[in-house]
Amino acid sequence: MFKKVVWTIGAIGLASCIAVTFFVIDTHLNDLEQSSSEPAAIWTLPSSTPKPKQPDIVTYWKNQEKKSAQSGYTDAASVYRDRIAAYSVGLPSISPLTDNWPIIQSPSAIMELYIRVPSIAESSNFAKHEPASGAYIGMLGADRRVGYDVTKIEDVYGRKHALYLAYVGWRKLQTDTNTYFPARTAERVKELGGALQIGWEPRFGLDDVQDDEYVRRFAREAKASGIPIFLRYASEMNGAWVPWHGNPQQYREKFRLIHDIMAEEAPNVAMVWSPNFSPADTIDDYYPGDDYVDWVGFSLYNTPYSADKEQLKGTVLDTFAPLYKRYSHKPIMISEGAIAHTYLPTNQTYWSWAEGQMGYMYGLLPRLFPQVKAITYFNFSRAQAIRTNGTYVYDIGENPFMDGLYQRLITSDWFLSKVESGVDPIQYRYTPVLGQSLPIGKQTVIVNPKLENERGEPPFAIAIYQRNQLLGVSYEAPWEIEIQVPAESATEPWYAIAYNDKMEPTAISKGSTSTE
C-alpha cells in the first residue's frame, strides 16, 4: 500500500544552518555504502567542469570488486557487485510526492543542504605554515603495509602526503643520531618534501619541564632539520590518562614556556595545542591563549562502541561541530584521527560502517568546516593494537572498503601534499541553503545526511528535485551534486530524497523558510 509522504521541518543551531528532518526506514542492511557519481543517463556534468582525477563511480566499484576478489575478500567483492547492480537499476520511475509514492517511516535523521559560493578573502594574516584554503593530508604510518617507513606512504596510498606524524619521549636520546630531536625521521621527510608533526610528550610530568639544555638542544635540532615542524606539545591534556593532566594553570605556564623557547630558537616550529575531543568540558581550562597557539589540534576518533555498548548512530561531524565553533578563530588540524573498523574484544568487524564514517571525515568535514587545514590519520595496525593492549583496529589497509575510499577521497584538490604558507587552491566555500528555492543556473550543492538511524547506515544515493524534475544525484560522500536550475523553476521549492541500495526511498527533506 502506498500513501503520501508526510513532511516535517526542523532547525539545528550549528553555525546557523537549517536542518530539515526527514523520515528514514531503518533497514539494517550492512551493505549500505556511500559511493557516488552521476549516471550519464540521468545527469551529465556541465562541459566546463574539470575532468575528475579518479574513475567514475561504476568503474571504481568494478576495480574494487576485482581487487577484493584477488585479495580473498569475497564478501567485499560481493558488496561491490551489488552496488553495480543497484546502480544499473537506476532511480525509481514513479513521480515523487504522488499518491503512489511509498510511505517513509521511522523518523531517524536530518539532512542539511549547502551550496557552493565564491570565497571571500577575509585576511592575509595567516598562522605559521597555514594555507589560505584546503587541508594538508597527513599520516602516522604504523599500519601493516607502511611499517613506520614514511617513504612507502605514497606508493601504498596513491598520493604524496604533506605531514608525517612521529612521537618523541621526553628526555629520550635518539641513539642512532645522538640527538633528542627525531633527526633520522626528519631527514626522510625532508627528502619527501614534507613536514613533520611531532607528538612531544612530557612523560615525567610537568614539574620536569624546564628551560634547560634538553629543551634548548631539542629546539636547535628542530631548526637544523630545515623542514616545517608542527610541535604538538603535551597533547590530550584534558584526559586523565596522561601524566600532564590535572593542573590547568601549570599546563598553561609550561606550554607558554615551550612556545617562547621555540620562538627564540626554532622559527620553523609551529606550536600546536591539541586536546582530545573527549572529555570536552575541561578543554577550555587548558588553553594557553591566542598569543601562544599557532594551530589548534584535536584527536578525533569514531568507534563502534561507547562505554562498552555498541553505538553506531551519528558521525564525527556531530562530535566535532561544537569544538569547531569554539576554536575556529585559529587554523585547526585533526592532529590524529581515525575510524575503527574492528572491535578486538570480540573480533567483530564493522567494515561497511567504517567506510561510511571515512566519507564523513575526509569528504564532508573539511568542506563544511573550512578552518580545518590538516588531517592526520592515525594508521595503527592490528598487530600494534594487540601489542599495546588496544581495543580497536584503525588500519585503513585491513579494511578493503576504507582502503579504496581513502585513496579515492584524497585525490581531491581540496587536499594538499605540500606545506606552503598562504597557498590558496580552493576558490569557493559552501554555505547553508536557508530557503525553499535555489539560485538559477549551474550550481554545485553538498548534502550532509546526518545519521540518526541506530545502525549508522548512510544512503546509497541522494537526489535533488524540483517538483518531479530531477536536478542531480550523487552516490558517494561528500554527496556533491552538480545541478542546473531552470529560470522557469526559480520559485519552485527543492527537495532531496535518499535511497538505499534497493533503490527504495528511505529519507526525504524539503527546503525551509526558517532562518533560526
Side-chain angles (χ1 to χ4, degrees):
M1 177 180 292
F2 298 101
K3 297 181 181 179
K4 285 188 176 180
V5 172
V6 179
W7 302 92
T8 63
I9 308 298
I12 186 170
L14 168 59
S16 300
C17 302
I18 298 303
V20 186
T21 302
F22 65 110
F23 295 134
V24 176
I25 298 173
D26 190 4
T27 57
H28 297 275
L29 296 177
N30 290 329
D31 293 342
L32 275 179
E33 311 297 339
Q34 54 185 17
S35 300
S36 80
S37 202
E38 295 73 23
I42 298 177
W43 178 252
T44 304
L45 292 176
S47 58
S48 60
T49 301
K51 293 182 179 180
K53 295 182 178 179
Q54 68 259 26
D56 65 83
I57 191 62
V58 175
T59 302
Y60 167 69
W61 285 336
K62 289 179 178 178
N63 291 340
Q64 288 300 109
E65 186 274 333
K66 183 178 180 180
K67 288 172 61 177
S68 297
Q70 291 175 342
S71 300
Y73 294 119
T74 56
D75 289 345
S78 178
V79 169
Y80 285 118
R81 287 193 293 271
D82 289 344
R83 294 181 187 180
I84 296 167
Y87 181 96
S88 66
V89 170
L91 301 178
S93 59
I94 302 174
S95 297
L97 308 182
T98 58
D99 288 338
N100 57 351
W101 186 256
I103 188 170
I104 299 175
Q105 303 171 354
S106 303
S108 59
I110 53 179
M111 190 149 55
E112 300 168 343
L113 184 66
Y114 297 78
I115 192 166
R116 181 185 293 185
V117 297
S119 293
I120 300 174
E122 297 180 355
S123 172
S124 59
N125 185 25
F126 301 111
K128 192 174 295 186
H129 309 324
E130 179 189 0
S133 62
Y136 301 133
I137 46 174
M139 181 173 285
L140 170 71
D143 54 311
R144 180 183 58 182
R145 295 180 297 190
V146 172
Y148 291 102
D149 184 352
V150 296
T151 64
K152 294 181 179 179
I153 289 177
E154 182 175 0
D155 288 340
V156 171
Y157 293 101
R159 189 172 180 190
K160 178 182 176 294
H161 285 50
L163 287 176
Y164 303 89
L165 173 58
Y167 293 89
V168 176
W170 193 257
R171 301 195 185 280
K172 182 179 180 180
L173 182 69
Q174 311 293 318
T175 55
D176 61 333
T177 55
N178 193 33
T179 61
Y180 291 124
F181 182 82
R184 185 72 66 209
T185 299
E187 289 173 3
R188 293 175 178 172
V189 169
K190 186 173 185 178
E191 291 173 359
L192 296 171
L196 189 60
Q197 183 204 148
I198 297 175
W200 199 21
E201 302 181 334
R203 53 184 170 164
F204 305 119
L206 293 175
D207 288 341
D208 191 47
V209 179
Q210 304 292 332
D211 184 352
D212 58 15
E213 178 58 22
Y214 166 68
V215 175
R216 291 281 174 174
R217 180 177 163 188
F218 184 98
R220 293 192 294 269
E221 290 169 350
K223 178 183 178 181
S225 71
I227 61 175
I229 302 293
F230 294 82
L231 187 59
R232 183 160 56 106
Y233 166 74
S235 62
E236 301 186 358
M237 75 302 294
N238 57 313
W241 54 87
V242 297
W244 47 92
H245 166 81
N247 189 333
Q249 180 179 349
Q250 185 185 28
Y251 177 89
R252 295 193 301 267
E253 292 172 356
K254 297 300 184 178
F255 192 100
R256 293 167 183 168
L257 172 66
I258 297 299
H259 167 275
D260 291 346
I261 294 172
M262 294 299 155
E264 181 181 342
E265 299 277 8
N268 59 320
V269 170
M271 291 295 295
V272 182
W273 175 76
S274 185
N276 193 55
F277 74 95
S278 178
D281 57 345
T282 62
I283 288 176
D284 297 346
D285 297 340
Y286 288 90
Y287 189 60
D290 287 350
D291 291 342
Y292 299 91
V293 174
D294 295 309
W295 287 63
V296 170
F298 288 102
S299 297
L300 184 65
Y301 290 84
N302 204 358
T303 61
Y305 274 74
S306 178
D308 297 324
K309 293 183 179 179
E310 188 179 71
Q311 167 59 268
L312 303 177
K313 185 169 71 172
T315 73
V316 290
L317 274 65
D318 306 320
T319 304
F320 181 66
L323 303 175
Y324 182 83
K325 186 176 182 180
R326 281 146 60 185
Y327 290 104
S328 58
H329 64 289
K330 288 284 186 178
I332 294 177
M333 66 164 57
I334 307 304
S335 45
E336 63 177 67
I339 307 297
H341 59 74
T342 301
Y343 183 58
L344 284 173
T346 62
N347 205 33
Q348 184 173 358
T349 59
Y350 293 85
W351 284 1
S352 298
W353 174 85
E355 180 197 26
Q357 295 296 324
M358 177 68 75
Y360 281 86
M361 179 174 279
Y362 282 87
L364 285 162
L365 187 144
R367 291 167 173 84
L368 300 188
F369 304 110
Q371 275 297 99
V372 173
K373 302 292 183 74
I375 304 179
T376 297
Y377 193 84
F378 187 82
N379 212 12
F380 210 60
S381 70
R382 174 188 293 267
Q384 293 281 22
I386 292 173
R387 183 180 63 82
T388 55
N389 298 316
T391 305
Y392 300 103
V393 180
Y394 299 110
D395 190 339
I396 293 172
E398 296 184 39
N399 178 344
F401 296 118
M402 289 177 66
D403 193 24
L405 184 58
Y406 177 79
Q407 295 185 52
R408 183 169 174 82
L409 287 168
I410 65 171
T411 61
S412 169
D413 290 339
W414 202 283
F415 292 105
L416 310 176
S417 291
K418 185 178 181 181
V419 171
E420 295 180 280
S421 297
V423 65
D424 192 15
I426 310 300
Q427 304 299 320
Y428 55 85
R429 60 186 175 88
Y430 293 94
T431 186
V433 175
L434 302 180
Q436 291 183 309
S437 61
L438 294 166
I440 298 170
K442 297 176 182 178
Q443 309 293 339
T444 301
V445 297
I446 277 183
V447 181
N448 173 21
K450 302 188 71 176
L451 302 183
E452 295 295 319
N453 64 85
E454 294 300 324
R455 302 303 300 170
E457 293 169 343
F460 177 72
I462 298 178
I464 305 292
Y465 298 86
Q466 284 182 319
R467 284 187 176 270
N468 293 330
Q469 177 65 42
L470 174 68
L471 298 183
V473 61
S474 175
Y475 288 82
E476 67 180 336
W479 308 108
E480 189 174 71
I481 307 173
E482 302 284 346
I483 63 176
Q484 176 78 40
V485 181
E488 59 270 22
S489 301
T491 60
E492 294 290 342
W494 63 269
Y495 57 96
I497 298 177
Y499 299 90
N500 64 19
D501 60 353
K502 291 180 171 54
M503 286 305 183
E504 299 166 337
T506 60
I508 192 163
S509 73
K510 185 179 181 181
S512 170
T513 57
S514 172
T515 58
E516 295 181 2

